[in-house]
């Protein structure tokens, strides 16, 4: 397959030709080394029998070396049930570090509000996330060009660009396009409508991979994208 590529933007070019980096390594460290604070969001994944479920929860307090306190997660507006002694996997981002550790539910309280005591870990797995980090995804998207609209799939994503799979003649280099797709950062359903520029094209037998660079991102859009990338990095690497 020949690569049609006239751009000097290496990040967008790599998005069309390479898979997301797998050279990230986790390190063992102590939770005390990181500044987990009230108000931070953590992800609680259930362990044991049945399909693992992941829920977002807000940290409300830390009492080292005994527990991390977090508001009890909800689903469809209803409190979720966690039993004392239940094993869970906790993941979070603290600054640019992804952190994960095994824990258990020490206590589930309903008064004066619903919250959990999660066992404070003896050690955690951590990983420094590069600013240019991108992740493999499979997201349905709609592409709008000057010639019309096309269906596409986003197969990897970063906070600054993406790799799209679309029909061969959908776009040309330096085309300015609009991309619409849905993501769910921190459990929210968000419709993204982003302007982008085509920076690389890798033609295949049937479909073609397009590396695109997002342009004119608003701060909120960048935050949503960064959150989505970090969320997937947690799932895939820790």
């Amino acid at each position: 397959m020949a690569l049609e590529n006239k751009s000097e933007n290496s990040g967008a070019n790599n998005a069309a030709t390479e898979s997301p980096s797998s050279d990230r390594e986790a390190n063992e460290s102590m939770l005390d080394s990181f500044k987990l604070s009230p108000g931070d969001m953590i992800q609680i994944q259930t362990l044991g029998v049945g399909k693992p479920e992941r829920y977002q929860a807000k940290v409300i307090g830390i009492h080292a070396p005994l527990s991390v306190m977090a508001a009890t997660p909800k689903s469809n507006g209803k409190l979720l049930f966690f039993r004392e002694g239940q094993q869970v996997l906790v993941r979070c981002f603290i600054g640019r570090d992804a952190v994960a550790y095994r824990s258990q539910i020490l206590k589930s309280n309903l008064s004066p509000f619903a919250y959990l005591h999660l066992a404070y870990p003896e050690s955690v797995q951590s990983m420094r996330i590069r600013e240019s980090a991108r992740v493999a995804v499979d997201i349905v998207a709609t592409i709008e060009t000057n010639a019309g609209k096309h269906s596409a799939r986003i197969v990897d994503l970063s906070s600054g660009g993406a790799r799209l799979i679309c029909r061969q003649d959908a776009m040309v280099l330096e085309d300015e396009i609009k991309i619409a797709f849905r993501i769910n950062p921190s459990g929210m359903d968000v419709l993204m409508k982003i302007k982008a520029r085509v920076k690389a094209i890798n033609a295949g037998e049937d479909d073609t991979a397009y590396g695109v660079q997002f342009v004119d991102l608003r701060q909120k859009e960048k935050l949503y994208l960064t959150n989505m990338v970090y969320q997937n990095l947690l799932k895939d690497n820790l």
Side-chain angles (χ1 to χ4, degrees):
M1 295 184 290
L3 177 67
E4 180 188 349
N5 182 3
K6 300 177 183 177
S7 168
E8 296 179 357
N9 187 298
S10 59
N13 296 345
N14 290 341
T17 58
E18 299 176 0
S19 56
S21 174
S22 59
D23 59 358
R24 295 178 288 266
E25 294 184 359
N27 302 303
E28 187 168 340
S29 51
M30 306 296 291
L31 186 58
D32 294 353
S33 305
F34 305 95
K35 295 181 179 179
L36 183 65
S37 303
D40 288 345
M41 297 300 296
I42 60 174
Q43 182 187 85
I44 301 174
Q45 178 182 325
T46 57
L47 300 174
V49 179
K51 181 182 176 182
E53 300 288 348
R54 297 182 177 91
Y55 305 104
Q56 300 294 319
K58 181 180 290 187
V59 174
I60 59 174
I62 299 102
H63 185 40
L66 297 178
S67 74
V68 173
M69 290 163 276
T72 303
K74 295 181 179 181
S75 179
N76 298 321
K78 296 182 178 180
L79 285 173
L80 295 166
F81 172 74
F82 291 86
R83 70 179 186 278
E84 294 179 10
Q86 183 175 357
Q87 301 294 308
V88 295
L89 181 63
V90 178
R91 299 183 177 100
C92 59
F93 275 97
I94 306 173
R96 289 181 54 201
D97 293 293
V99 176
Y101 61 91
R102 285 180 176 268
S103 183
Q104 66 172 318
I105 306 298
L106 295 178
K107 190 74 175 177
S108 178
N109 290 309
L110 294 175
S111 178
F113 53 88
Y115 69 99
L116 304 171
H117 280 277
L118 301 161
Y120 198 88
E122 292 184 1
S123 64
V124 301
Q125 295 291 311
S126 65
M127 182 175 60
R128 176 57 57 95
I129 304 301
R130 294 180 290 108
E131 189 173 350
S132 59
R134 55 198 176 93
V135 292
V137 295
D138 187 7
I139 300 173
V140 175
T142 299
I143 309 301
E144 184 177 348
T145 70
N146 290 333
K149 293 185 177 181
H150 307 280
S151 296
R153 284 187 303 113
I154 301 175
V155 293
D156 76 51
L157 181 69
S158 75
S159 60
R163 181 161 61 110
L164 313 172
I165 302 297
C166 194
R167 54 182 288 182
Q168 287 187 347
D169 58 351
M171 293 167 271
V172 298
L173 281 175
E174 299 301 328
D175 254 0
E176 292 191 0
I177 64 173
K178 295 179 181 178
I179 309 173
F181 58 96
R182 289 188 178 276
I183 57 176
N184 60 339
S186 299
M188 297 183 294
D189 182 37
V190 179
L191 175 61
M192 305 291 289
K193 294 183 178 181
I194 296 176
K195 295 179 182 178
R197 185 172 292 112
V198 179
K199 306 303 290 186
I201 301 175
N202 189 6
E205 293 182 3
D206 298 315
D207 294 325
T208 295
Y210 298 87
V212 302
Q213 180 182 33
F214 300 144
V215 296
D216 298 332
L217 281 176
R218 292 176 295 178
Q219 185 64 25
K220 181 178 289 189
E221 291 171 334
K222 190 162 187 177
L223 286 173
Y224 284 147
L225 289 167
T226 301
N227 193 318
M228 184 67 180
V229 170
Y230 281 11
Q231 186 174 294
N232 278 269
L233 284 173
L234 282 175
K235 178 181 70 176
D236 295 340
N237 294 281
L238 290 176

